[in-house]
Amino acid sequence: MRLILIDHEAAFVTRVRQVARRAGLVEPVDEVADLSALARLAERNPQLTLVGMVSTTMAVRGAIKEFVQRCPQVPLIAVGGNDPERMRAALGEGARAYVRRGDVGEELPNALDVVRDGGVFVPPVVAMRPGGEPLMTVAGPVPAGFFREDAGKQLTPRQREILSMIRSGRNNQEIADTLDLTVGTVKIHITAIFKALGVRNRTQAMVAADWLDLPILAQRVPTEA
């Protein structure tokens, strides 16, 4: 497996090479100028097992999606800051992993391992909780940062509806009011959803919902009596 980097900072490239070498998961790391160059490399060398790694600052909107459509066999790792919206945008366009630039030493080996096994890596992004809501976690065999792509088949219609509401940014009280449930019942459903997806928090659940292409539900406008 060869890692192909698209980044503008020499020091970061050196850091990635060191991390990849210590992890022992890839052959020597190479560089290309942009995603178009990576696509040409992949098309000229179909026998190579490539993984792309691109800084989100060097990929304009839509570029990742275009690359994934052109080279679906080449998994792409997006690199950026601790920014949930940028992470969701990159993964929504088809990147197979998102690694935070400042935590590349800890996250890249896990991302490479998950991507190699056909999974999607989502970092444990901090400070993502809605106001005052406790962070829910579940214990299980699924490693942090990975969600199963077949998880949508395991969800009940009610759980898919709640996951769509999570994707839309609704909190537990809003979900409960909309579905005429108690907040406690909503939390039970969310715990089951997290376990089915193999995710650890709402941000990762949103990414999973994006990947599963669940609908984004509009806020209901109350009707007058």
Side-chain angles (χ1 to χ4, degrees):
M1 184 167 65
R2 293 177 58 184
L3 183 63
I4 310 299
L5 265 174
I6 303 169
D7 199 272
H8 55 79
E9 186 181 332
F12 182 74
V13 172
T14 298
R15 173 70 172 142
V16 169
R17 285 198 167 107
Q18 293 170 342
V19 172
R21 184 173 62 250
R22 285 200 301 269
L25 294 172
V26 296
E27 298 171 17
V29 177
D30 294 320
E31 292 180 76
V32 293
D34 52 34
L35 286 172
S36 294
L38 176 56
R40 291 193 296 271
L41 175 65
E43 290 166 347
R44 289 196 305 266
N45 302 276
Q47 77 282 4
L48 296 179
T49 302
L50 303 178
V51 176
M53 185 170 177
V54 60
S55 170
T56 54
T57 60
M58 298 185 68
V60 298
R61 181 181 293 274
I64 291 176
K65 182 177 181 179
E66 181 180 341
F67 174 83
V68 170
Q69 291 174 340
R70 182 174 174 181
C71 301
Q73 79 281 12
V74 179
L76 202 60
I77 299 173
V79 182
N82 193 19
D83 183 339
E85 293 307 317
R86 180 165 289 185
M87 178 185 71
R88 290 183 65 192
L91 294 173
E93 287 192 24
R96 302 291 303 190
Y98 186 91
V99 171
R100 293 174 294 179
R101 200 173 187 87
D103 297 288
V104 67
E106 295 75 27
E107 294 176 1
L108 180 58
N110 292 331
L112 287 170
D113 199 27
V114 168
V115 164
R116 180 190 59 187
D117 291 339
V120 178
F121 178 82
V122 182
V125 181
V126 299
M128 294 294 100
R129 288 177 291 175
E133 189 167 77
L135 177 65
M136 287 190 182
T137 61
V138 293
V142 182
F146 176 79
F147 72 85
R148 295 183 291 273
E149 293 184 68
D150 63 348
K153 301 176 183 177
Q154 303 177 36
L155 300 177
T156 67
R158 175 67 85 191
Q159 289 169 350
R160 290 178 67 88
E161 187 174 21
I162 290 175
L163 182 56
S164 293
M165 292 183 179
I166 291 174
R167 185 187 186 194
S168 304
R170 300 189 193 181
N171 61 35
N172 288 355
Q173 187 63 61
E174 290 170 333
I175 294 172
D177 291 344
T178 300
L179 299 179
D180 195 24
L181 301 172
T182 67
V183 172
T185 299
V186 170
K187 289 182 177 180
I188 290 171
H189 279 303
I190 290 176
T191 298
I193 291 167
F194 285 7
K195 186 172 183 178
L197 296 177
V199 302
R200 297 171 61 88
N201 56 46
R202 292 178 86 98
T203 298
Q204 292 180 351
M206 286 179 179
V207 171
D210 289 342
W211 192 271
L212 295 170
D213 200 26
L214 294 181
I216 298 177
L217 303 179
Q219 293 285 353
R220 293 186 179 180
V221 178
T223 57
E224 295 183 2

